[in-house]
C-alpha cells in the first residue's frame, strides 16, 4: 500500500495528544502516596496465596487476619476459595502464625505461594533500575550520534522517555500494582521504542542522501509513509504475542503483558508522531540558532572592517 | 528444459522445507524437556539470606565461606537433588531449591537464623555458636544409647575448659548450677549436666534422647547453630508445586497460541515470503532454545514471556525486508534483483535498530542482577538469532522459492500487477 498522510504538519496536535495522556499520569503520581501502587517487590512485605478446601469468604479471611493485627492487609480473591493476601513484612514466626490461624479457624488449606521480600531489596531494585536506564540512555545517544547525528539521538531518547511516562502514567492513574516484572517491561519498551524510531530515522537518512526538491517536512512525511506498513505490521505481531500472554498466560505475567501492551502501542505512536516531528523542530531550532550566530558574526565583522578601513 | 529445471527447483525447496519442519518437530520437544525450569514453573524455594554485621564484628569473606558450608549442610539434610547455592555480593547468599515438594519445611530448615549460645545457670553466655566446630550424633558403643559429640575450635576449647573447670570446682555433683544450657535463638535445646572438666575441646552430651533421630536432629541444630554470624532471610519465595504446574500449563498455551497467530499473520499478510518467514522462525526458535540450553539457563515465567515477545520482534527483521522487497518490485525490478536489493537496503536498518537495543541489554547485564540479567541475555540472544536467521536463512529460502517458475506470480508476494511500471510488466 502507498500512503500519503501528512504526519508532521500537525505536529502541535500530536504533542498535545501526548501531553493529554502524560499530564494526568504525572498528576496522579503527584497526588498519590506512594507515587505508584508498588507491590512487595519494591516495598517489602509478604504475599501468601492459599486455597481452602471448603467455601470461605474474603470477610472470613480478614477476620482471622484482624485477630493477628493484620486487618489492614490486602486480601484479593483469586479463583475458587483462593486468596492472595498481601501483608507488611513478616518474619518466619509471624508467617507461621498467619497460616496456622487460617488453618485453625477456616479449615484445611493448600499453601500455594508464600513470598517475602525485604524492604532493602526493593530499594536496591529501584535504584539499580534507574541507574541502568540512565546509563543506557547516554550510550544510546552516543551510538545514534555516531551513526546518525546528535539531534536524532536526542529526539529518539525523548520519544522513549515519552513511552516510559505514558506507561507509568497508566499504572499511576489506575493504581495497577507494580511488581519486579514491571521493571523488565519498561526496559523492553525502551528497547522496542528505540528500535522502532531508528527504523524511521534510517529511512530519513537514506532519503536525505538522495534528497529531491522538497522541504524537510515533506521528506520526513515521505519517509514515515514509506515505513508505515512495516510499523503497523510489526506492532501487530507484538500485540498478538502480548494478547496471547495476557489472556492465556495467567496471573503472574499479566502485569508484564499489560505494561508491554501500553508501552508498545505508545512506542509505535511516538516513533511516528513524537520522534520524527521533534527531530524537525530541533533541526529548525539549531539552524535558526546557527543563522543568528552567523548573522551576528557577520555584522561584527563588517563593523570591525569599517573601523579598520577608517 | 525450463520445466525440468522448475521441477528440480521445486523438489529442492520441498526437501529443505521438510527438513526444517522435521528438525523443528523432532528437536523442539526434547529441547523443551531438557530445559531447566525455574521455581515459578515447577514449584520450589528461593531464599536470599544476608549475613548481618554487628558493631563488634563485620562480615568477612571467611564468614561467608563458612556460612555457605553450613547452608549446604542444611540443604543436604533435606535430600534435595540439585540445590543451587551461590554468593551474591559481599554478604549475601542465594539458595534455590527447585521442585521441592514441601517448600515450607525447606524454609524452616534453612531459615534457622540460629544463634547458638551455651549459658550457665545464671544466664551468662559462656560459649557461642562460632566457637563450635562440629556436632555429631553417634551411638555409644557400650550403652547402645544415642549421644552427641561436640567439637570446639581453639578459642571454644579454651573457653569451654575454663567454664567446666570452674563449675566442677564450685558446685557439687548433682547441683542444678552445674549445668550448661544450650540455647538456639533463645530457645532452650538441652540442659546437660557437667560431669567433669573438659579441657580437650571435645564434649559429649549423653542420655535423655528417646531415639537416634532425636539426637541427630539436635546435632543438626547445633551444627546449624554454628553460624559464624547472624543471618537474616531478606527475600523468600516459595511456590507450591500445584501453582508451578498451573503456571507452566498456562504459559505453554500462551506460547502455542501466540506462535500460531503470528505465523498465520505473516502468511496472510506476506503470502509466500510470509511462509518463508514462518520456516525461518522455526529455526530461530531452535537456535534460541539451543543456546539457552547450552548456557544451562533456567527458564522462568518472565523468561518465557520475553521469549514469546522476542518472536514478535524477530518477525520485524523479516517485515522490514519484505516491505523493501515489495517496494523494489513496484519500482519494476525483477524478483531476483528485488530480493537482493531488499536485503541490502534492509540490512543497515536492521543493524542500527538492533544495535541500540543490544546496547541497552549490555547495560542491563552489567548493572542488573538475577532476573534482569537473565532477561538481558534472552533479549540479546533473541536479537542476534533473529538477525542471523532473517539475513541468511530467509534469503536462502527465498532464492530457492524463486527457483520455481510457478512461484513467480506477483500476487504471491503481495504486489498487484497494476502497481508496477508498464515497461516492467511480464518480465518477472
Amino acid at each position: 500500500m502507498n500512503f500519503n498522510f501528512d504526519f508532521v504538519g500537525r505536529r502541535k496536535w500530536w504533542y498535545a495528544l501526548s501531553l493529554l495522556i502524560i499530564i494526568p499520569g504525572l498528576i496522579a503520581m503527584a497526588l498519590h502516596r506512594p507515587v505508584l501502587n508498588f507491590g512487595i517487590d519494591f516495598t517489602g512485605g509478604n504475599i501468601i496465596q492459599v486455597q481452602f478446601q471448603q467455601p470461605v469468604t474474603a470477610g472470613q479471611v480478614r477476620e482471622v487476619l484482624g485477630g493477628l493485627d493484620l486487618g489492614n492487609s490486602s486480601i484479593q480473591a483469586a479463583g475458587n476459595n483462593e486468596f492472595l493476601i498481601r501483608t507488611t513484612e513478616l518474619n518466619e514466626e509471624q508467617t507461621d502464625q498467619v497460616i496456622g490461624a487460617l488453618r485453625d479457624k477456616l479449615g484445611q488449606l493448600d499453601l500455594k505461594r508464600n513470598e517475602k521480600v525485604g524492604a532493602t531489596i526493593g530499594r536496591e531494585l529501584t535504584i539499580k533500575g534507574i541507574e541502568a536506564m540512565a546509563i543506557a540512555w547516554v550510550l544510546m545517544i552516543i551510538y545514534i550520534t555516531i551513526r546518525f547525528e546528535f539531534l536524532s539521538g536526542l529526539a529518539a531518547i525523548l520519544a522513549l522517555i515519552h513511552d516510559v511516562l505514558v506507561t507509568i502514567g497508566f499504572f499511576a492513574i489506575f493504581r495497577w500494582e507494580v511488581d519486579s516484572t514491571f521493571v523488565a517491561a519498561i526496559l523492553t519498551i525502551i528497547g522496542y521504542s528505540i528500535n522502532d524510531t531508528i527504523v524511521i530515522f534510517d529511512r530519513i537518512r537514506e532519503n536525505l542522501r538522495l534528497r529531491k526538491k522538497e522541504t524537510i517536512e515533506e521528506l520526513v512525511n515521505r519517509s514515515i509513509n514509506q515505513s508505515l506498513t512495516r510499523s503497523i505490521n510489526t506492532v501487530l505481531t507484538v500485540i498478538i504475542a502480548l494478547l496471547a500472554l495476557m489472556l492465556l498466560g495467567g496471573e503472574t505475567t499479566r502485569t508484564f503483558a499489560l505494561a508491554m501492551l501500553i508501552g508498545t502501542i505508545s512506542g509505535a505512536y511516538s516513533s511516528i508522531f513524537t520522534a520524527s516531528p521533534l527531530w524537525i523542530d530541533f533541526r529548525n531550532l539549531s539552524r535558526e540558532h546557527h543563522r543568528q550566530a552567523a548573522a551576528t558574526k557577520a555584522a561584527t565583522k563588517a563593523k570591525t572592517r569599517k573601523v579598520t578601513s577608517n | 528444459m525450463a520445466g525440468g529445471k522448475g521441477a528440480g527447483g521445486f523438489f529442492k525447496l520441498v526437501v529443505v522445507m521438510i527438513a526444517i519442519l522435521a528438525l523443528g518437530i523432532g528437536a523442539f520437544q526434547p529441547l523443551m524437556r531438557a530445559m531447566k525450569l525455574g521455581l515459578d514453573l515447577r514449584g520450589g524455594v528461593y531464599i536470599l539470606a544476608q549475613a548481618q554485621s554487628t558493631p563488634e564484628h563485620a562480615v568477612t569473606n571467611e564468614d561467608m565461606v563458612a556460612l555457605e558450608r553450613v547452608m549446604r549442610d542444611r540443604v543436604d539434610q533435606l535430600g534435595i537433588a540439585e540445590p543451587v547455592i551461590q554468593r551474591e555480593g559481599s554478604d549475601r547468599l542465594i539458595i534455590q531449591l527447585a521442585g521441592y515438594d514441601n517448600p515450607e519445611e525447606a524454609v524452616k530448615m534453612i531459615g534457622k537464623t540460629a544463634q547458638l549460645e551455651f549459658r550457665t545457670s545464671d544466664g551468662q553466655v559462656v560459649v557461642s555458636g562460632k566457637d563450635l566446630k562440629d556436632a555429631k550424633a553417634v551411638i555409644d558403643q557400650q550403652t547402645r544409647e544415642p549421644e552427641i559429640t561436640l567439637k570446639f575450635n581453639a578459642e571454644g576449647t579454651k573457653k569451654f575448659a575454663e567454664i567446666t573447670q570452674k563449675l566442677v570446682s564450685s558446685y557439687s555433683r548433682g547441683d542444678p548450677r552445674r549445668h550448661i544450657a544450650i540455647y538456639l535463638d533463645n530457645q532452650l535445646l538441652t540442659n546437660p549436666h557437667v560431669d567433669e572438666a573438659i579441657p580437650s575441646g571435645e564434649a559429649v552430651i549423653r542420655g535423655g534422647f528417646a531415639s537416634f533421630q532425636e539426637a541427630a536432629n539436635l546435632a543438626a541444630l547445633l551444627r546449624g547453630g554454628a553460624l559464624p554470624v547472624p543471618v537474616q532471610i531478606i527475600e523468600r519465595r516459595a511456590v507450591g508445586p500445584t501453582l508451578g504446574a498451573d503456571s507452566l500449563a498456562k504459559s505453554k498455551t500462551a506460547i502455542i497460541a501466540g506462535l500460531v497467530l503470528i505465523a498465520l499473520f505473516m502468511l496472510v499478510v506476506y503470502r509466500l515470503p510470509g511462509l518463508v518467514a514462518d520456516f525461518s522462525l522455526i529455526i530461530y526458535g531452535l537456535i534460541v532454545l539451543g543456546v539457552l540450553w547450552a548456557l544451562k539457563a533456567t527458564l522462568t515465567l518472565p523468561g518465557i514471556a520475553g521469549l514469546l515477545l522476542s518472536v514478535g520482534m524477530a518477525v520485524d527483521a523479516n517485515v522490514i525486508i519484505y516491505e523493501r522487497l515489495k517496494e523494489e518490485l513496484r519500482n519494476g525490478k525483477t524478483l531476483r534483483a528485488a530480493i537482493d536489493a531488499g536485503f541490502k537496503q534492509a540490512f543497515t536498518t536492521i543493524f542500527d535498530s538492533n544495535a541500540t537495543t543490544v546496547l541497552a541489554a549490555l547495560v542491563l547485564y552489567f548493572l542488573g542482577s538475577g532476573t534482569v540479567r537473565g532477561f538481558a541475555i534472552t533479549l540479546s540472544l533473541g536479537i542476534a538469532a533473529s538477525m542471523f536467521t532473517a539475513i541468511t536463512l530467509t534469503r536462502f529460502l527465498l532464492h530457492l522459492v524463486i527457483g520455481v517458475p510457478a512461484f513467480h506470480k506477483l500476487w504471491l508476494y503481495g504486489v498487484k500487477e497494476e502497481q508496477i511500471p508498464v515497461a516492467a510488466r511480464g518480465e518477472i
Side-chain angles (χ1 to χ4, degrees):
Chain A
M1 266 167 281
N2 280 316
F3 298 104
N4 195 14
F5 297 122
D6 178 15
F7 289 105
V8 298
R10 291 196 194 120
R11 53 185 181 272
K12 299 234 160 57
W13 288 99
W14 308 135
Y15 296 154
L17 179 62
S18 293
L19 292 178
L20 202 66
I21 296 175
I22 290 173
I23 289 174
L26 291 178
I27 292 174
M29 281 164 73
L31 292 182
H32 283 118
R33 284 289 165 266
V35 178
L36 292 169
N37 178 12
F38 289 112
I40 66 158
D41 287 342
F42 292 96
T43 58
N46 286 52
I47 288 190
I48 299 167
Q49 188 175 350
V50 288
Q51 183 167 32
F52 294 98
Q53 287 176 0
Q54 56 289 319
V56 165
T57 64
Q60 286 174 293
V61 176
R62 186 172 299 283
E63 208 172 298
V64 174
L65 291 175
L68 294 165
D69 271 341
L70 292 169
N72 54 355
S73 309
S74 134
I75 298 166
Q76 185 192 337
N80 222 358
N81 296 321
E82 200 171 322
F83 297 94
L84 263 175
I85 302 164
R86 285 162 230 259
T87 66
T88 49
E89 208 176 323
L90 305 177
N91 63 29
E92 300 303 317
E93 260 172 60
Q94 291 170 306
T95 318
D96 282 351
Q97 274 175 15
V98 170
I99 296 161
L102 287 172
R103 198 168 268 148
D104 287 346
K105 301 207 170 110
L106 302 176
Q108 209 45 47
L109 57 84
D110 181 15
L111 183 60
K112 293 196 145 187
R113 184 145 63 118
N114 184 357
E115 300 186 351
K116 167 194 166 169
V117 182
T120 39
I121 294 292
R123 230 180 345 261
E124 274 171 37
L125 194 74
T126 321
I127 294 168
K128 265 193 177 168
I130 293 173
E131 253 176 30
M133 246 185 258
I135 294 177
W137 289 351
V138 172
L139 286 178
M140 282 173 175
I141 292 190
I142 293 174
Y143 181 85
I144 300 172
T145 304
I146 293 170
R147 296 285 298 167
F148 297 82
E149 54 164 19
F150 175 68
L151 293 181
S152 312
L154 198 62
I157 298 297
L158 282 175
L160 76 81
I161 292 176
H162 166 275
D163 303 331
V164 171
L165 288 179
V166 167
T167 313
I168 293 180
F170 269 92
F171 275 71
I173 292 169
F174 295 103
R175 301 297 286 168
W176 290 324
E177 195 186 270
V178 169
D179 60 15
S180 64
T181 60
F182 184 78
V183 176
I186 292 288
L187 297 166
T188 321
I189 290 166
I190 290 175
Y192 179 85
S193 170
I194 203 89
N195 194 304
D196 210 45
T197 304
I198 294 294
V199 171
I200 295 174
F201 278 1
D202 190 81
R203 200 67 192 227
I204 295 175
R205 177 174 62 181
E206 187 189 324
N207 285 334
L208 270 176
R209 244 178 252 145
L210 312 156
R211 190 167 170 184
K212 299 172 186 165
K213 280 205 159 90
E214 56 188 348
T215 63
I216 198 74
E217 277 86 358
E218 282 164 352
L219 184 138
V220 170
N221 263 335
R222 186 156 65 89
S223 308
I224 298 175
N225 277 300
Q226 283 168 337
S227 334
L228 196 60
T229 319
R230 173 264 159 196
S231 294
I232 293 171
N233 287 349
T234 297
V235 82
L236 280 180
T237 48
V238 175
I239 286 177
I240 289 174
L242 289 171
L243 282 181
L245 210 58
M246 235 176 112
L247 300 177
L248 306 168
E251 291 279 324
T252 337
T253 43
R254 201 156 288 152
T255 305
F256 178 81
L258 184 64
M260 275 299 303
L261 200 63
I262 296 167
T264 309
I265 293 169
S266 168
Y269 174 89
S270 72
S271 307
I272 296 170
F273 298 99
T274 312
S276 311
L278 273 180
W279 178 71
I280 294 180
D281 283 337
F282 288 159
R283 197 179 135 103
N284 289 344
L285 275 177
S286 100
R287 287 275 150 107
E288 188 61 31
H289 183 76
H290 278 293
R291 205 173 299 127
Q292 273 180 6
T296 6
K297 214 174 175 186
T300 34
K301 229 179 206 171
K303 232 182 222 168
T304 40
R305 206 175 297 130
K306 240 182 205 167
V307 172
T308 42
S309 72
N310 279 345
Chain B
M1 272 302 267
K5 198 183 157 214
F10 184 70
F11 183 67
K12 222 160 123 188
L13 179 67
V14 168
V15 169
V16 171
M17 286 203 159
I18 289 179
I20 292 177
L21 215 55
L23 194 65
I25 294 169
F28 190 72
Q29 280 284 350
L31 257 180
M32 278 307 275
R33 223 168 281 145
M35 206 64 99
K36 268 186 8 202
L37 295 180
L39 305 172
D40 47 358
L41 293 174
R42 56 192 288 210
V45 194
Y46 169 96
I47 290 170
L48 182 60
Q50 185 168 39
Q52 310 283 312
S53 288
T54 53
E56 304 94 61
H57 179 84
V59 174
T60 63
N61 187 45
E62 287 74 48
D63 291 336
M64 290 306 291
V65 172
L67 181 63
E68 196 176 333
R69 205 192 50 229
V70 173
M71 286 301 179
R72 208 165 277 284
D73 261 6
R74 293 182 179 182
V75 170
D76 284 345
Q77 282 162 27
L78 291 166
I80 289 168
E82 307 161 56
V84 176
I85 298 174
Q86 67 196 59
R87 292 265 299 270
E88 197 205 49
S90 60
D91 58 358
R92 287 180 184 168
L93 209 57
I94 294 173
I95 300 158
Q96 290 187 73
L97 315 171
Y100 189 60
D101 279 347
N102 192 346
E104 292 311 303
E105 187 196 334
V107 172
K108 284 226 170 63
M109 197 70 195
I110 289 158
K112 293 230 174 293
T113 52
Q115 270 295 81
L116 189 69
E117 285 168 346
F118 290 64
R119 298 185 197 159
T120 49
S121 57
D122 54 358
Q124 193 199 346
V125 178
V126 286
V127 180
S128 75
K130 64 179 197 294
D131 300 319
L132 186 69
K133 210 160 115 195
D134 201 8
K136 249 191 241 143
V138 290
I139 299 277
D140 186 278
Q141 292 306 317
Q142 280 137 34
T143 59
R144 314 301 298 168
E145 287 280 309
E147 57 184 39
I148 293 174
T149 61
L150 299 176
K151 255 194 204 120
F152 293 96
N153 62 19
E155 199 174 329
T157 303
K158 210 173 107 222
K159 287 188 195 165
F160 204 64
E162 274 169 25
I163 189 65
T164 45
Q165 180 58 50
K166 197 173 139 213
L167 289 179
V168 169
S169 55
S170 314
Y171 308 110
S172 61
R173 190 170 272 267
D175 189 307
R177 285 171 295 183
R178 211 168 132 166
H179 284 267
I180 292 184
I182 304 176
Y183 284 86
L184 190 66
D185 282 342
N186 295 321
Q187 274 188 316
L188 180 65
L189 286 182
T190 173
N191 190 13
H193 183 255
V194 178
D195 291 337
E196 62 208 57
I198 302 166
S200 65
E202 293 192 20
V204 178
I205 303 174
R206 208 172 271 134
F209 298 116
S211 65
F212 180 74
Q213 194 54 43
E214 195 188 316
N217 284 344
L218 183 59
L221 284 177
L222 292 175
R223 258 202 319 276
L227 286 187
V229 279
V231 170
Q232 210 183 5
I233 293 185
I234 52 172
E235 189 176 352
R236 187 273 303 273
R237 294 176 191 273
V239 174
T242 47
L243 185 66
D246 189 43
S247 300
L248 185 61
K250 274 187 181 153
S251 51
K252 260 189 186 160
T253 326
I255 279 199
I256 292 169
L259 287 180
V260 169
L261 285 174
I262 289 174
L264 276 178
F265 178 85
M266 288 303 282
L267 196 60
V268 170
V269 174
Y270 291 105
R271 320 269 164 95
L272 201 49
L275 183 72
V276 165
D278 288 346
F279 276 87
S280 282
L281 282 183
I282 295 176
I283 299 298
Y284 163 79
L286 288 182
I287 291 176
V288 171
L289 286 179
V291 174
L292 283 180
W293 172 77
L295 290 174
K296 298 197 189 325
T298 305
L299 216 52
T300 60
L301 218 48
I304 287 182
L307 279 181
L308 182 56
L309 199 65
S310 84
V311 174
M313 286 174 150
V315 168
D316 186 45
N318 287 300
V319 169
I320 291 176
I321 293 167
Y322 293 166
E323 285 302 323
R324 281 290 186 163
L325 168 65
K326 281 206 276 190
E327 234 173 277
E328 299 295 338
L329 281 176
R330 284 189 203 119
N331 286 340
K333 284 211 169 103
T334 64
L335 252 182
R336 190 174 299 276
I339 287 175
D340 287 338
F343 273 95
K344 211 173 137 219
Q345 304 274 20
F347 182 76
T348 30
T349 313
I350 297 173
F351 183 85
D352 276 334
S353 61
N354 285 336
T356 41
T357 312
V358 169
L359 219 52
L362 278 180
V363 174
L364 290 187
Y365 182 80
F366 286 111
L367 287 182
S369 63
T371 10
V372 174
R373 229 169 195 209
F375 182 77
I377 294 175
T378 326
L379 190 64
S380 320
L381 181 61
I383 289 168
S386 79
M387 272 183 76
F388 173 76
T389 45
I391 286 156
T392 58
L393 191 66
T394 304
R395 184 182 208 152
F396 168 71
L397 287 175
L398 276 181
H399 277 288
L400 280 185
V401 164
I402 58 167
V404 183
F407 292 158
H408 284 187
K409 304 244 171 351
L410 275 181
W411 66 268
L412 286 170
Y413 300 85
V415 175
K416 291 193 186 88
E417 183 90 6
E418 61 268 22
Q419 285 176 323
I420 64 171
V422 180
R425 284 183 199 168
E427 283 178 19
I428 304 298

